Amino acid sequence: MTYCVGLLLNEGMVLLSDTRTNAGLDNIATYRKMFHFENPGERIITIVTAGSLSVTQTTISRLRDAMDDKDATPETSVMLAPTMLKVAEIVGNVLADVRREIDQKLSMSQGASATMIVAGQRKGGGMRMFLIYPEGNFIEATEDTPFLQIGEHKYGKPILDRVVKPSTSLADAQKAVLLSMDSTLRSNLSVGMPLDLCVINRDELRIGILRRFEAGDESFRAMSEAWSNALREGFSRIPI
Amino acid sequence: MTYCVGLLLNEGMVLLSDTRTNAGLDNIATYRKMFHFENPGERIITIVTAGSLSVTQTTISRLRDAMDDKDATPETSVMLAPTMLKVAEIVGNVLADVRREIDQKLSMSQGASATMIVAGQRKGGGMRMFLIYPEGNFIEATEDTPFLQIGEHKYGKPILDRVVKPSTSLADAQKAVLLSMDSTLRSNLSVGMPLDLCVINRDELRIGILRRFEAGDESFRAMSEAWSNALREGFSRIPI
């Protein structure tokens, strides 16, 4: 399993992913699930992935190959695509193709699957964030729903529902995604540290903050404990 | 969908269920999912149910028929069973039988399914709480894990994980299950008001509190709002 979340806010975008991959409970590994396609000052695209590792790795590899191809066109390269909508379409098409091919190898329908969040901004365009489904179609984050989640999304949703608005500051947004992840880590063993956090400031067109929280990270532990205490205190103060 | 939760605490037991049943999003109805089998001073059993309504209703009806049967035996009647463990076995067997019969009618395996929480105490015995699986097997709440959930359990689990211990008071326990339900109601449309709350005090062998929270219940709304405020305040005080 996996938990990834992305926030699209007035001040910028914040993404967080875990790194746990498992094939059964007795086969656990750490894999990065956050990928960046950056041409600083021109274009920044960050993708986080959930689902079958064979699908997500192949999809990301093909996106990179298509970028590096000397015959790359705006139809095939996410770095040349004229709009973020086109970027989402390219990612969706590659993802759907890869999934179909792997499904055929597995001789079963819908055997391997993956979802992705694609967030980015190109020079002259606005920030946009998409959730790409296994079939290649997608939805977009909006003012009304400024966050997208993939993977094990339920445990971490209540806090996002309550605190995340488009006007949320990037500092608060980092807290929100980390606490959302904290609730998920507590309840689902197949979501695990380390975590990858990325902050992209509006119109900077480059990665702002990139930070890995290793297992046992002191600041994450302190935040988690402060949140537990705040919840318990808040709980105790509520009249019955 | 459904959300039901039961807490097994030193002071007693607390159960909460929603009442929403749906067959598709365009066919929503209200059905009680909490059932009591009570012989005050002798025995109290409360059952909450999740899953296919045809399975849960038939199971509860058969349990009542078996109780009322003049040939009822400790092997068939939950009111005569010598232990709570035996009660869980009876409920499990009836549930598995009903499910199998309905599955056959539907001509598919595992088409209709249901889970139940069975909580109770008989004179001379301890309080016990079981989660009955569709196949009739079951697990029991313990000191380490003093709560059981069925249905849409994920949204409401983080708060239980953090505040519920065997030593939790019955007053705090009522708050905890209501706030756990509140998080679930916000995130899953197929869980809905009204709510049924039941409190059973240790060794009283009868229903202590039975309360229905109708849609728009003022005290529930106030508690929900106080919790939202407490979360937001707690969130804003956490250092980054």
Side-chain angles (χ1 to χ4, degrees):
Chain A
M1 205 77 187
T2 290
Y3 177 49
C4 299
V5 52
L7 312 187
L8 176 68
L9 308 170
N10 298 340
E11 293 182 9
M13 298 187 287
V14 175
L15 293 109
L16 181 71
S17 62
D18 83 315
T19 54
R20 183 156 293 175
T21 303
N22 69 304
L25 279 171
D26 53 352
N27 187 356
I28 287 175
T30 298
Y31 279 95
R32 181 174 286 275
K33 299 173 188 173
M34 180 181 283
F35 305 91
H36 308 283
F37 301 82
E38 186 183 28
N39 181 359
E42 290 292 327
R43 174 175 310 222
I44 172 67
I45 300 167
T46 295
I47 300 182
V48 289
T49 65
S52 171
L53 190 63
S54 65
V55 175
T56 59
Q57 282 189 336
T58 306
T59 302
I60 297 295
S61 297
R62 288 211 191 155
L63 290 172
R64 290 215 188 277
D65 281 356
M67 258 168 62
D68 298 339
D69 190 332
K70 63 181 182 355
D71 299 328
T73 72
E75 290 295 315
T76 61
S77 164
V78 295
M79 295 310 276
L80 299 177
T83 62
M84 276 302 300
L85 182 69
K86 186 70 200 169
V87 170
E89 282 176 18
I90 292 173
V91 176
N93 290 340
V94 173
L95 172 60
D97 285 349
V98 170
R99 177 174 162 254
R100 213 171 306 124
E101 289 169 28
I102 293 181
D103 266 359
Q104 279 165 4
K105 285 181 194 158
L106 296 176
S107 313
M108 56 187 193
S109 129
Q110 311 229 346
S113 185
T115 50
M116 300 189 171
I117 296 173
V118 176
Q121 186 176 19
R122 63 176 176 84
K123 200 172 181 173
M127 300 181 300
R128 296 180 75 172
M129 186 178 289
F130 300 89
L131 191 164
I132 317 278
Y133 291 107
E135 293 76 15
N137 57 331
F138 47 81
I139 60 170
E140 186 171 1
T142 63
E143 283 243 327
D144 290 327
T145 305
F147 62 86
L148 295 171
Q149 302 171 288
I150 54 177
E152 177 59 280
H153 63 282
K154 292 187 179 182
Y155 297 114
K157 186 160 179 280
I159 177 159
L160 300 178
D161 278 334
R162 284 189 166 97
V163 306
V164 176
K165 291 190 288 278
S167 59
T168 300
S169 72
L170 291 181
D172 276 355
Q174 292 176 64
K175 259 202 290 187
V177 294
L178 288 167
L179 294 176
S180 174
M181 179 65 81
D182 182 52
S183 292
T184 312
L185 293 172
R186 274 168 188 264
S187 290
N188 191 326
L189 267 186
S190 70
V191 177
M193 308 276 278
L195 310 176
D196 289 313
L197 175 75
C198 171
V199 179
I200 300 166
N201 294 290
R202 169 184 289 275
D203 296 336
E204 285 196 0
L205 305 169
R206 72 189 76 229
I207 294 170
I209 298 173
L210 199 59
R211 180 167 170 194
R212 172 159 281 206
F213 292 84
E214 297 289 346
D217 181 279
E218 186 48 38
S219 64
F220 185 72
R221 200 199 54 71
M223 185 182 290
S224 164
E225 201 174 296
W227 181 233
S228 277
N229 291 338
L231 287 180
R232 281 197 212 96
E233 265 172 50
F235 180 81
S236 69
R237 282 202 316 273
I238 289 176
I240 303 169
Chain B
M1 206 74 188
T2 289
Y3 178 48
C4 299
V5 54
L7 311 187
L8 175 68
L9 307 169
N10 298 341
E11 294 182 6
M13 299 186 285
V14 176
L15 294 111
L16 182 70
S17 61
D18 83 314
T19 54
R20 183 158 294 174
T21 303
N22 68 303
L25 278 171
D26 54 353
N27 187 355
I28 286 175
T30 297
Y31 280 94
R32 181 175 286 273
K33 298 172 190 174
M34 180 182 283
F35 305 91
H36 308 284
F37 301 81
E38 187 184 27
N39 180 359
E42 290 292 328
R43 177 176 305 222
I44 171 69
I45 300 166
T46 295
I47 300 181
V48 290
T49 66
S52 170
L53 191 61
S54 65
V55 175
T56 58
Q57 283 189 336
T58 305
T59 301
I60 297 295
S61 297
R62 287 212 190 154
L63 290 172
R64 290 214 187 279
D65 281 357
M67 259 168 62
D68 298 340
D69 190 331
K70 65 178 180 0
D71 299 327
T73 73
E75 290 295 315
T76 60
S77 162
V78 295
M79 295 311 275
L80 298 178
T83 63
M84 276 303 299
L85 182 69
K86 186 70 200 171
V87 169
E89 282 177 17
I90 292 172
V91 176
N93 289 339
V94 173
L95 172 60
D97 286 348
V98 170
R99 175 173 164 256
R100 214 171 305 126
E101 289 170 30
I102 293 181
D103 266 1
Q104 280 167 4
K105 284 182 194 154
L106 296 175
S107 315
M108 55 187 193
S109 130
Q110 311 230 348
S113 186
T115 50
M116 301 189 170
I117 296 173
V118 176
Q121 187 176 17
R122 64 176 174 86
K123 200 171 183 176
M127 299 182 300
R128 296 179 76 172
M129 186 178 288
F130 300 89
L131 191 164
I132 318 278
Y133 290 109
E135 294 76 13
N137 57 332
F138 47 80
I139 60 170
E140 186 171 1
T142 63
E143 281 243 327
D144 290 327
T145 306
F147 61 86
L148 295 171
Q149 302 173 288
I150 53 176
E152 176 62 279
H153 63 281
K154 293 187 178 182
Y155 297 115
K157 185 159 179 284
I159 176 160
L160 300 178
D161 278 333
R162 283 190 167 96
V163 306
V164 176
K165 290 190 288 277
S167 58
T168 302
S169 71
L170 292 181
D172 275 357
Q174 292 175 64
K175 259 202 291 188
V177 295
L178 288 166
L179 294 175
S180 173
M181 179 66 81
D182 182 51
S183 291
T184 312
L185 293 171
R186 275 169 188 262
S187 290
N188 190 326
L189 266 188
S190 70
V191 177
M193 307 274 279
L195 312 175
D196 289 313
L197 175 75
C198 170
V199 179
I200 299 167
N201 294 290
R202 170 185 288 275
D203 297 335
E204 286 196 358
L205 304 170
R206 72 190 75 229
I207 294 171
I209 299 172
L210 199 59
R211 181 167 169 194
R212 173 160 279 208
F213 292 83
E214 297 289 345
D217 181 279
E218 187 47 40
S219 62
F220 184 73
R221 199 199 54 71
M223 184 181 294
S224 164
E225 203 173 295
W227 180 235
S228 279
N229 291 339
L231 287 179
R232 280 195 213 96
E233 266 172 48
F235 180 82
S236 68
R237 282 201 317 272
I238 289 178
I240 303 168

